[in-house]
């Protein structure tokens, strides 16, 4: 097994991980991998779900969940951490290595005030033995993470926003001034604009304290813009290691390139995203061969003959691709080709004959103690037949409420909705025939495909149920029609017998799309349809949406927080902020030249680095 | 929510409790009339049924008045602390109850402390040693306890620790605090074992859930001491479901006390009630039933208030996200 040290030339890195292999009983989770972090250096471990990145982070801090074991060595400043007892490790954790986790809402003790999480970290130190200096120190620590409001320290976690919780948690993690911070997806659970703030904050603190930082992320672009060195982890094995700038300029491994191309660019619209086929395997299923071989266009017999070792190909560059020197030209060519902008979509200016018209829509909910909460305020929008419209906003913007009003899951408080000429504001008040027609015209795709599929029904049952509801239900839901629907979303007819639990996230979303297509709708309302999917799978599903639009002349209302996604799919976008549309227009114009300050803030929060377009 | 908010909450709960108590008192009063036979006969008990006594009873219990008037007259006396006169012994029911209350309160408190203290500790041990033999032994002990009624466990304990080993006395309530505690150890234990399974199960499940929480992992990642994590993080969060169940448990203990007092021949309220039922002493039955009902309502009220005080999410009300 390869235990090559990914060293950068220094003899004594702060953290040296060698041959770290994690397993759950006899089932391997990662193959032996080596990581080195210098003092003051920022590295990223990039990987999709199931790559083992979070467990690697927890193995370094010595807090693996019960039942999961790690072997290998973890050396921090000359001290071997693997052999230490829990008591000795406790003197290392917090003081030398600290960790920040993904979900800000579950990271803090719900029964403890925000400030107490910092306070409890300071109690051991003699200078903070009494209450007053400790309170002053808590205040100073909170100021370091950008919290100047006095009452945050006294508030309970559930009274704080996600961004605030993440800041308090960061201050608590840093309260004993560690030399190394491991941040596990610290921004993923947050809103786009807050994500950018937290990442900026992390970088600032890392620089000011000259602290080492391990950033665990699934977002390659974020890793490039934040870190000096990148470790690409896939199905438990490191596939590529190198300087961030060099990897970004010219990825050596087909997976790194695939991941890079799968992420939709925010600044251009490409004709078709280069998607990686299939989905991420389990580490245990790819023992003894290249984990990526099944999804790789360049895989040959040699790739499956044994686990390719991670070997140096250049100064500070390692790759686990055995065919790298043969295929590098092809990789580079693919990269250049993929970044060509698509021809501009023809502008449509007409507003007559709109498929969907929403006029002055208002939706209020009853809040606590009878205070009404206005989720959507006076929103008007149009969707033309065959047009793809993006609705962009963060959590709390009312974008989901608007989508739910459109398909009749909520009844608007005021305003008018017309779908294909039928007044559809109040589904309860509609004539039965009209309601049936509207329900066949408009269908919805949800964020989490799993919870929208009945786990007891096979894919075929789910689809035949939907087919029976389609127009002219006299025609039976034959296996042929089910197979045709599955083929439409790129799945073979064999999927009809499978149950949702045996499908991957991408496959489930495809089934959900097929089910929506069963009634031959004119428009799909898609609520964050790709945000729960892995990046490599997200591109496949986006391509599917594009193809279906071209083939069926579908309209979309694409509800998302992700500007890069709407750039690829929508011709026109509406920006929703606190229930109001603050900006609307053609996608290129709104993203390239945002007018409203909020849109500008959204655009600025997309992670990007200097050499975005290099080769 | 501020201090005045807590007061408002308690007042509101009281407002719900008062009608509930009225309904219960009505039911208790109606016992005289529901009991088979003539209420005069019921109230007569073992006394000789000469016309003078019967008339006196009619007069004393206002039996010639309409039913509702009787009830209100009875209720107004109850509110003033007069529960009537026991048929046996011709004593005021309140003073009979006062004589017996001490033993029952001592027994119930002792066993509640055992249930909550020992139950939480055993549940915590099970959670921390999850999957080990110790864990399984703790769970088995709980299941064994809940499946054998308190009077069976009581007789077993009496035989083993009282009759065979002579560690504890086998009857009598004892006098003075320490002597009474010594006398009541076996009954309290018998009572505790029968309900402890609930506390063990809830504590164990809640702690296992807490140990998996992100904030516990985050606390470990920050190097907090295991004592701090156990008490401020795991135990404190895990106790919330235990407290919500505590009301149920205390009520279970008090109703279990009835059997245990009889088993160990202790002169407590439970024994008094059984005795009164056997002798058809309706005023005493009314008195003890009313007291138990008021106790159940008050315990539930107290549980709600304590739950609100320990969980700030209830106290402050969640913010809308």
């Amino acid at each position: 097994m390869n235990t090559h040290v990914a060293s950068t030339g220094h003899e004594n890195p702060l953290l040296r991980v060698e041959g770290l292999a994690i397993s759950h009983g006899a089932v391997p989770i990662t193959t032996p991998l080596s990581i080195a972090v210098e003092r003051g250096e920022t590295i990223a471990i990039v990987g999709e779900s199931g790559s083992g990145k979070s467990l690697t982070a927890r193995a370094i801090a010595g807090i693996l969940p019960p039942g999961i074991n790690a072997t290998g060595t973890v050396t921090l400043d000359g001290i071997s951490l693997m052999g230490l007892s829990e008591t000795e490790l406790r003197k290392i954790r917090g003081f030398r290595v600290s960790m920040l986790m993904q979900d800000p809402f579950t990271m803090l003790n719900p029964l403890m005030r925000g400030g107490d999480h910092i306070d409890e970290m300071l109690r051991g130190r003699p200078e903070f033995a009494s209450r007053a200096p400790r309170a002053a120190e808590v205040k100073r620590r909170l100021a370091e993470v950008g919290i100047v409001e006095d009452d945050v320290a006294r508030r309970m976690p559930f009274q704080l926003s996600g961004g605030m919780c993440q800041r308090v948690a960061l201050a608590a993690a840093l309260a004993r001034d560690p030399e190394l911070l491991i941040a596990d997806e610290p921004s993923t659970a947050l809103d786009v604009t807050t994500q950018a703030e937290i990442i900026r904050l992390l970088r600032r603190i890392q620089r000011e304290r000259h602290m080492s930082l391990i950033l665990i992320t699934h977002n390659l672009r974020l890793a490039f813009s934040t870190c000096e060195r990148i470790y690409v982890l896939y199905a438990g094995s490191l596939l590529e290691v190198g300087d961030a700038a060099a990897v970004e300029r010219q990825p050596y491994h087909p997976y790194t390139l695939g991941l890079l191309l799968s992420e939709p660019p925010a600044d251009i619209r490409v004709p078709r995203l280069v998607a990686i086929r299939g989905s991420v395997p389990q580490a245990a299923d790819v023992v003894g061969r290249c984990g990526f071989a099944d999804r790789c266009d360049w895989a040959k017999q040699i790739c499956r003959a044994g686990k390719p070792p991670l070997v140096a190909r250049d100064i500070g560059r390692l790759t686990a691709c055995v065919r790298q020197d043969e295929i590098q030209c092809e990789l580079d060519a693919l990269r250049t080709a993929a970044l060509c902008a698509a021809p501009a979509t023809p502008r449509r200016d007409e507003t007559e004959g709109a498929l969907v018209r929403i006029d002055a829509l208002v939706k209020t909910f009853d809040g606590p103690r009878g205070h009404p909460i206005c989720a959507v305020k006076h929103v008007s929008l149009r969707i033309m037949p065959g047009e793809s419209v993006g609705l962009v906003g963060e959590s709390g913007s009312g974008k989901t409420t608007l989508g739910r009003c459109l398909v009749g899951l909520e009844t608007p408080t005021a305003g008018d909705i017309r779908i294909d000429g039928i007044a559809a504001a109040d589904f309860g008040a509609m004539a039965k025939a009209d309601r049936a027609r509207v329900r066949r015209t408009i269908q919805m795709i949800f964020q989490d495909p799993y919870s929208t599929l009945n786990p007891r029904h096979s894919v075929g049952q789910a689809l035949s149920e939907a087919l029976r509801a389609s127009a002219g239900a006299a025609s039976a839901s034959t296996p042929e029609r089910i197979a045709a629907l599955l083929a439409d979303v790129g799945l073979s007819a064999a999927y009809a017998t499978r149950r949702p639990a045996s499908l991957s996230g991408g496959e489930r979303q495809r089934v959900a799309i097929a089910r929506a297509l069963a009634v031959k709708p004119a428009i799909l309302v898609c609520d964050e349809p790709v945000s729960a999917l892995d990046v490599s799978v997200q591109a496949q599903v986006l391509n599917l949406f594009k193809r279906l639009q071209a083939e069926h002349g579908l309209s979309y209302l694409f509800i998302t927080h992700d500007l890069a996604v709407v750039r690829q799919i929508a011709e026109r976008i509406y920006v929703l902020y606190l229930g109001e549309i603050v900006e609307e227009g053609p996608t290129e114009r709104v993203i390239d030249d945002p007018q409203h300050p909020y849109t500008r803030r959204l655009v600025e929060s997309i992670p990007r680095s200097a050499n975005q377009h290099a080769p | 929510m501020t201090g005045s908010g807590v007061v408002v909450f308690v007042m509101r709960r009281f407002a719900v409790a008062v009608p509930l108590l009225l309904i219960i008192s009505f039911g208790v009063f109606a016992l005289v009339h529901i009991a088979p036979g003539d209420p005069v006969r019921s109230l007569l008990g073992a006394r000789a049924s000469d016309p003078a006594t019967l008339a006196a009873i009619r007069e004393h219990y206002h039996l010639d008045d309409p039913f509702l008037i009787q009830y209100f007259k009875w209720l107004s006396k109850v509110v003033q602390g007069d529960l009537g006169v026991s048929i046996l012994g011709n004593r005021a029911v309140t003073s009979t109850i006062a004589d017996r209350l001490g033993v029952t309160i001592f027994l119930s408190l002792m066993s509640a402390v055992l249930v909550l203290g020992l139950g939480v500790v055993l549940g915590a041990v099970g959670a921390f040693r999850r999957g080990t033999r110790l864990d399984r032994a703790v769970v088995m002990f709980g299941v064994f306890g809940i499946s054998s009624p308190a009077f069976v466990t009581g007789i077993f304990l009496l035989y083993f620790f009282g009759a065979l080993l002579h560690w504890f006395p086998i009857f009598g309530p004892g006098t003075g605090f320490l002597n009474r505690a010594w006398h009541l150890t076996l009954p309290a234990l018998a009572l505790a074992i029968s309900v402890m399974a609930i506390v063990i199960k809830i504590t164990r499940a809640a702690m296992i859930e807490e140990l998996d929480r992100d904030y516990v992992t985050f606390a470990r990642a920050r190097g907090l001491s295991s004592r701090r994590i156990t008490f401020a993080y795991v135990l404190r969060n895990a106790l919330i479901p235990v407290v919500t169940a505590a009301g149920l448990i205390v009520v279970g203990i008090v109703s279990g006390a009835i059997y245990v007092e009889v088993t160990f021949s202790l002169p407590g309220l439970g024994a008094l009630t059984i005795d009164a039922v056997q002798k058809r002493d309706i005023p005493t039955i009314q008195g003890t039933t009313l007291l138990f009902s008021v106790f159940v309502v008050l315990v539930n009220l107290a549980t709600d208030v304590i739950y609100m005080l320990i969980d700030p999410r209830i106290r402050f009300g969640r913010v809308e996200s």
Side-chain angles (χ1 to χ4, degrees):
Chain A
M1 262 304 154
N2 160 62
T3 51
H4 194 106
V5 182
S7 125
T8 49
H10 297 262
E11 283 310 300
N12 256 325
L14 175 68
L15 177 79
R16 190 191 285 276
V17 176
E18 276 174 59
L20 180 71
I22 304 168
S23 60
H24 183 210
V27 182
I29 294 170
T30 70
T31 55
L33 45 89
S34 301
I35 295 166
V37 188
E38 303 292 333
R39 281 166 211 283
E41 190 188 31
T42 303
I43 69 148
I45 301 178
V46 183
E48 294 179 274
S49 60
S51 63
K53 56 187 193 302
S54 290
L55 286 176
T56 302
R58 290 181 65 168
I60 293 172
I63 43 170
L64 284 171
I68 309 236
N69 314 306
T71 55
T73 60
V74 177
T75 317
L76 181 88
D77 200 17
I79 311 164
S80 173
L81 300 187
M82 291 293 262
L84 290 187
S85 69
E86 186 70 19
T87 326
E88 288 168 299
L89 271 174
R90 221 169 271 132
K91 292 173 196 148
I92 306 267
R93 292 194 208 119
F95 292 103
R96 309 204 65 181
V97 181
S98 203
M99 200 168 154
L100 193 62
M101 292 158 75
Q102 176 170 352
D103 188 346
F105 293 108
T106 59
M107 215 188 334
L108 300 177
N109 186 344
L111 301 183
M112 256 166 68
R113 290 170 197 283
D116 289 348
H117 289 84
I118 304 161
D119 184 284
E120 67 181 353
M121 299 287 286
L122 301 169
R123 267 175 227 176
R125 284 162 59 175
E127 66 266 41
F128 300 126
S130 61
R131 208 174 271 267
R134 218 158 58 213
E137 183 67 7
V138 168
K139 202 177 163 191
R140 198 181 69 78
R141 300 290 183 150
L142 283 174
E144 188 192 7
V145 294
I147 298 176
V148 285
E149 297 92 331
D150 271 341
D151 63 334
V152 169
R154 286 195 304 274
R155 289 223 214 135
M156 304 301 293
F158 66 88
Q159 295 173 308
L160 299 171
S161 69
M164 277 293 187
C165 283
Q166 195 63 286
R167 282 165 198 265
V168 171
L170 177 62
L174 296 178
R176 288 173 179 172
D177 305 310
E179 295 148 80
L180 171 67
L181 179 71
I182 305 171
D184 186 359
E185 302 261 20
S187 63
T188 309
L190 301 170
D191 265 329
V192 212
T193 49
T194 321
Q195 277 184 13
E197 283 167 24
I198 290 291
I199 293 296
R200 268 201 302 275
L201 175 68
L202 263 178
R203 293 181 61 182
R204 195 197 80 215
I205 287 176
Q206 181 267 326
R207 272 196 301 270
E208 283 173 3
R209 291 171 164 245
H210 196 66
M211 179 178 73
S212 304
L213 176 68
I214 300 180
L215 180 72
I216 312 261
T217 179
H218 68 282
N219 189 333
L220 201 50
R221 216 177 287 151
L222 176 70
F224 285 146
S225 66
T226 317
C227 301
E228 292 152 52
R229 225 140 32 80
I230 310 278
Y231 289 78
V232 180
L233 195 61
Y234 182 79
S237 304
L238 282 175
L239 294 188
E240 179 157 7
V241 177
D243 291 334
V247 175
E248 187 179 17
R249 207 179 311 115
Q250 192 187 30
Y252 279 178
H253 199 285
Y255 172 65
T256 317
L257 177 69
L259 202 56
L260 197 57
L261 296 181
S262 291
E263 283 199 27
D267 44 7
I268 54 163
R269 181 189 178 106
V270 295
R272 204 183 127 75
L273 288 162
V274 182
I276 309 175
R277 62 170 186 267
S279 53
V280 186
Q282 301 282 312
D285 298 335
V286 292
V287 178
R289 60 198 172 106
C290 172
F292 188 60
D294 289 344
R295 304 177 72 190
C296 182
D297 290 331
W298 292 274
K300 286 230 167 132
Q301 192 50 44
I302 184 171
C303 303
R304 297 189 175 90
K307 180 79 68 190
L310 190 65
V311 291
R313 283 295 151 92
D314 218 332
I315 303 155
R317 294 290 305 272
L318 299 95
T319 174
C321 183
V322 285
R323 303 194 60 218
Q324 183 262 334
D325 43 357
E326 296 168 58
I327 64 172
Q328 191 60 51
C329 308
E330 289 177 48
L331 293 180
D332 293 347
L334 179 64
R335 177 104 191 260
T336 320
L339 285 174
C340 291
T345 42
R347 207 45 87 65
R348 14 181 147 210
D349 291 322
E350 77 274 25
T351 54
E352 287 306 305
L355 180 63
V356 172
R357 298 176 68 107
I358 296 178
D359 284 301
L361 189 85
V362 178
K363 175 71 193 174
T364 52
F365 291 102
D366 290 332
R369 289 170 208 148
H371 297 300
I373 296 167
C374 203
V376 177
K377 303 167 191 160
H378 264 81
V379 165
S380 303
L381 61 77
R382 306 267 177 284
I383 304 168
M384 304 302 292
E387 189 187 30
S388 171
V389 171
L391 185 61
V392 181
E394 295 180 288
S395 61
S397 66
K399 59 186 197 303
T400 296
T401 307
L402 187 61
R404 291 172 64 90
C405 284
L406 206 50
V407 295
L409 293 173
E410 301 280 357
T411 302
T413 313
D416 191 34
I417 298 176
R418 280 183 173 275
I419 296 169
D420 208 8
I422 303 168
D426 184 358
F427 269 57
M430 287 162 71
K432 211 175 164 192
D434 279 351
R435 191 161 57 223
R437 221 181 100 201
V438 167
R439 288 218 162 115
R440 280 198 294 271
T441 308
I442 190 159
Q443 285 284 310
M444 187 153 184
I445 309 278
F446 296 87
Q447 172 172 357
D448 177 10
Y450 189 65
S451 60
T452 65
L453 294 172
N454 186 336
R456 302 254 168 269
H457 284 184
S458 70
V459 169
Q461 280 173 307
L463 294 181
S464 74
E465 188 179 61
L467 280 169
R468 280 198 296 277
S470 63
S475 61
S477 57
T478 60
E480 289 76 41
R481 291 186 62 195
I482 291 172
L485 269 181
L486 285 170
D488 230 5
V489 294
L491 296 175
S492 71
Y495 277 86
T497 57
R498 293 177 59 179
R499 283 179 203 280
S502 70
L503 304 178
S504 70
E507 288 166 340
R508 282 176 201 154
Q509 196 59 290
R510 282 169 194 267
V511 171
I513 296 169
R515 185 179 53 179
L517 292 176
V519 297
K520 297 199 169 57
I523 174 166
L524 293 184
V525 175
C526 310
D527 190 357
E528 300 272 15
V530 293
S531 57
L533 305 175
D534 274 325
V535 187
S536 67
V537 176
Q538 175 181 321
Q540 298 167 3
V541 176
L542 281 177
N543 283 337
L544 174 67
F545 275 119
K546 281 185 165 190
R547 179 167 65 75
L548 290 173
Q549 186 187 19
E551 287 175 5
H552 298 272
L554 278 175
S555 298
Y556 292 128
L557 180 65
F558 225 85
I559 302 172
T560 180
H561 67 280
D562 192 336
L563 283 176
V565 165
V566 283
R567 180 92 200 210
Q568 304 310 317
I569 201 97
E571 293 149 45
R572 222 152 38 81
I573 60 178
Y574 293 89
V575 180
L576 203 55
Y577 180 57
L578 300 177
E580 282 176 286
I581 287 178
V582 295
E583 187 156 359
E584 61 175 285
T587 309
E588 302 80 54
R589 213 269 301 136
V590 174
I591 295 179
D592 294 339
D593 182 21
Q595 300 299 312
H596 192 272
Y598 174 71
T599 320
R600 237 173 278 152
R601 207 143 64 84
L602 271 182
V603 172
E604 280 161 13
S605 55
I606 303 168
R608 55 183 102 215
S609 59
N611 48 357
Q612 187 87 35
H613 293 294
Chain B
M1 203 191 273
T2 53
S4 72
V6 175
V7 174
V8 169
F9 177 85
V10 174
M11 296 302 278
R12 208 181 289 157
R13 278 303 158 121
F14 256 117
V16 178
V18 167
L20 191 61
L21 285 174
L22 279 177
I23 293 170
I24 291 169
S25 71
F26 187 79
V28 166
F29 173 74
L31 277 179
V32 186
H33 295 266
I34 292 167
D38 182 17
V40 188
R41 294 272 164 203
S42 305
L43 293 167
L44 186 64
R47 283 172 283 185
S49 62
D50 56 285
T53 320
L54 290 182
I57 289 173
R58 283 191 172 278
E59 168 63 28
H60 184 80
Y61 290 98
H62 314 286
L63 289 176
D64 295 325
D65 288 340
F67 184 72
L68 279 178
I69 303 290
Q70 288 178 39
Y71 168 64
F72 285 119
K73 282 183 175 164
W74 174 78
L75 188 66
S76 67
K77 274 189 177 171
V78 168
V79 171
Q80 290 161 34
D82 177 8
L83 286 168
V85 176
S86 164
I87 290 165
L88 311 157
N90 221 356
R91 284 183 69 197
V93 171
T94 39
S95 60
T96 320
I97 288 179
D99 284 351
R100 305 290 197 96
L101 198 57
V103 173
T104 303
I105 289 180
F106 200 103
L107 176 66
S108 303
L109 271 182
M110 196 166 163
S111 131
V113 168
L114 274 174
V115 167
L116 292 172
L118 210 59
V120 167
V121 169
L122 286 177
V125 166
F128 277 109
R129 298 272 176 271
R130 186 178 1 165
T132 61
R133 252 182 231 170
L134 189 60
D135 176 26
R136 276 196 290 275
V138 165
V139 173
M140 281 260 294
F141 170 70
V143 172
F144 176 77
I146 205 166
S147 0
S148 47
F151 54 86
V152 174
T153 319
I155 289 170
F156 172 78
L157 289 176
L158 261 183
Y159 176 73
F160 196 74
F161 292 104
L164 278 186
L165 295 173
H166 301 291
W167 287 1
F168 293 98
I170 53 172
F171 72 93
T175 48
F177 182 81
L178 281 179
N179 186 253
R180 177 158 281 193
W182 186 50
H183 273 82
L184 291 184
T185 301
L186 289 186
L189 209 56
L191 198 48
I193 288 173
S194 66
V195 280
M196 208 187 288
I198 305 171
V199 178
I200 294 178
K201 205 174 155 66
I202 296 175
T203 313
R204 186 177 167 276
M207 290 202 45
I208 286 176
E209 207 175 298
E210 290 305 320
L211 284 168
D212 263 353
R213 297 266 189 208
D214 270 3
Y215 46 80
V216 174
T217 310
F218 184 51
R220 288 181 63 201
R222 287 181 287 145
L224 290 177
S225 70
S226 60
R227 207 182 53 187
R228 171 113 191 127
I229 293 176
T230 306
F231 288 99
Y233 281 73
V234 180
L235 200 57
R236 196 160 162 221
N237 279 286
L239 278 185
I240 291 177
V242 178
V243 169
T244 44
L248 202 67
I249 289 158
V250 170
V251 169
I253 287 173
V254 171
S255 57
I258 293 176
Y259 305 111
V260 170
E261 279 171 14
V262 174
T263 310
F264 287 86
S265 19
L266 296 172
L269 267 190
L272 176 68
T273 310
I274 300 282
D275 210 28
V277 169
Q278 277 163 355
K279 308 238 166 79
R280 292 179 53 112
D281 183 354
I282 296 229
T284 308
I285 298 175
Q286 281 179 331
T288 52
T289 313
L290 199 60
L291 188 69
F292 278 129
S293 316
V294 171
F295 175 74
V296 169
V297 170
L298 288 182
V299 163
N300 278 311
L301 180 71
T303 311
D304 283 347
V305 173
I306 293 172
Y307 179 46
M308 188 194 68
L309 290 177
I310 60 166
D311 193 343
R313 282 164 293 191
I314 310 291
R315 193 159 71 236
F316 295 97
R318 280 190 175 282
V319 280
E320 292 295 318
S321 59

